[in-house]
Amino acid sequence: NNRGDVMKKDKEKSRLQILRECLGFNQTKFAEILKVSNATVSRIEKNERPLTERLANQISKEFGVNEDWLLNG
């Protein structure tokens, strides 16, 4: 059943990736807006690097997103 795989993949997405996709940005444009590298966005989305409070605060102000949701779900 393919649907289960799709649902599982969605649950594994980081909140940063969910936000970025909802805003319609690719990683490059999102990184450019936040003044961070594309690699930084990619690593955070893959959970290879934590989302810092500083960056979460910046995202919250830039896009009107709840900072606590970004950091804690």
Side-chain angles (χ1 to χ4, degrees), residues 16-71:
L16 188 68
Q17 183 176 357
I18 293 166
L19 172 64
R20 176 181 60 74
E21 291 176 351
C22 284
L23 293 169
F25 296 121
N26 61 28
Q27 284 183 343
T28 303
K29 183 64 179 171
F30 197 60
E32 184 182 302
I33 292 167
L34 297 173
K35 297 178 173 60
V36 298
S37 71
N38 189 33
T40 295
V41 172
S42 178
R43 288 184 187 124
I44 293 169
E45 288 186 358
K46 293 178 187 174
N47 294 311
E48 294 173 356
R49 176 181 178 158
L51 176 63
T52 63
E53 286 188 27
R54 184 178 144 280
L55 188 55
N57 182 266
Q58 181 183 350
I59 293 167
S60 174
K61 288 179 180 174
E62 181 75 32
F63 300 109
V65 177
N66 184 293
E67 186 176 347
D68 185 57
W69 175 79
L70 276 172
L71 292 168

